[in-house]
Amino acid sequence: NIMLTQPPSVSESPGKTITISCTLRGGNIAGNFLQWYQQRPGSSPTTVIFEHYHRPSGVPDRFSGSIDRQSNSASLTISGLRTEDEGYYYCQSYGDNIKGVFGGGTKVTVL
Amino acid sequence: EVQLVESGGGLVQPGRSLRLSCVASGFTFDDHSMHWVRQAPGKGLEWVSGISWNGNVIAYADSVQGRFIISRDNAKNSLSLQMNSLRAEDMALYYCTRGAGTNLVGEGYHFDNWGQGTLVTVSS
């Protein structure tokens, strides 16, 4: 079974840039699509990045996704950090056994 | 507008059963895979189960395999999760989610719409 590992928390000041990593174990990061979800307190998750790089309509271009084949990881970068970006971010994919998997989540705090 | 409305949550004793339902509207239901995702209080998201557009392909998390059964009724635009032999660790908010694609691969594992969730409490 695959496993996705994220840092538990990231903090930064408004206007700065943060990057959240998501390391894949047991699979190939370029093999199956990976998504990033934002979850604000008390709300259901919403997609900020799908299929590694793509932004849904309505998500600002301050959000971008990338993968690094060398480290077998994906990253979510948020530039021009805003207070509204606070919340939890989860990476998600699935394994060759067609079971879904989420990373543990990263709490983003805007100082 | 896509809507996913879950129901069926509640308080249940360990070892008992519960059936969750999700009614979908605002889209062509049988054009999409469907999934259940849960979130224990104060914890992260956990994928529980998924079903392809026609119900022919089904997958479960190891933690629920053999206890939970996912099903769908495309004529009624509904998704269900039969949960048997419930344990304390099954206590969570259960979300009904839509896959962007039809099957349990590729875009079918992009959860592009979520319900508000239904809370399952397992306690004696």
Side-chain angles (χ1 to χ4, degrees):
Chain A
N1 291 348
I2 68 170
M3 183 181 301
L4 296 170
T5 301
Q6 301 178 233
S9 64
V10 173
S11 301
E12 189 51 273
S13 302
K16 299 294 188 179
T17 297
I18 63 170
T19 298
I20 303 169
S21 62
C22 174
T23 301
L24 172 64
R25 305 249 188 271
N28 178 0
I29 194 67
N32 295 334
F33 289 144
L34 182 138
Q35 281 67 237
W36 290 93
Y37 302 92
Q38 176 193 65
Q39 187 178 32
R40 295 190 174 108
S43 296
S44 301
T46 60
T47 307
V48 292
I49 295 291
F50 67 98
E51 297 177 11
H52 290 133
Y53 317 107
H54 302 286
R55 263 189 325 274
S57 59
V59 173
D61 60 7
R62 300 185 296 105
F63 291 80
S64 63
S66 63
I67 63 171
D68 181 341
R69 288 174 171 80
Q70 190 165 4
S71 62
N72 210 38
S73 65
S75 294
L76 172 69
T77 298
I78 309 174
S79 59
L81 201 61
R82 304 174 69 158
T83 55
E84 67 209 47
D85 299 331
E86 282 199 333
Y88 283 85
Y89 291 80
Y90 297 89
C91 58
Q92 172 266 321
S93 186
Y94 66 99
D96 291 342
N97 57 5
I98 67 168
K99 294 180 188 284
V101 63
F102 283 92
T106 298
K107 182 178 183 180
V108 169
T109 302
V110 181
L111 301 172
Chain B
E1 178 194 5
V2 172
Q3 285 200 319
L4 300 169
V5 180
E6 304 95 335
S7 61
L11 174 63
V12 61
Q13 293 179 328
R16 303 299 290 265
S17 299
L18 203 61
R19 186 177 182 87
L20 305 183
S21 296
C22 170
V23 176
S25 61
F27 65 99
T28 303
F29 188 66
D30 57 9
D31 275 350
H32 295 268
S33 64
M34 296 295 295
H35 302 258
W36 290 97
V37 174
R38 69 185 181 185
Q39 187 168 34
K43 302 297 184 181
L45 301 172
E46 180 187 13
W47 175 83
V48 174
S49 181
I51 185 168
S52 64
W53 69 278
N54 58 3
N56 284 354
V57 182
I58 286 173
Y60 298 98
D62 292 348
S63 57
V64 307
Q65 182 89 45
R67 299 188 299 123
F68 289 11
I69 300 171
I70 191 172
S71 61
R72 64 188 295 161
D73 184 339
N74 288 345
K76 296 182 178 179
N77 288 355
S78 68
L79 175 73
S80 296
L81 186 68
Q82 176 68 39
M83 304 187 296
N84 301 320
S85 303
L86 282 162
R87 305 167 179 168
E89 54 264 36
D90 295 319
M91 185 163 65
L93 184 65
Y94 283 73
Y95 292 103
C96 169
T97 73
R98 187 184 83 165
T102 53
N103 292 305
L104 298 191
V105 290
E107 59 183 355
Y109 260 105
H110 168 203
F111 311 132
D112 68 353
N113 280 272
W114 298 63
Q116 290 303 305
T118 186
L119 184 63
V120 173
T121 303
V122 182
S123 175
S124 54

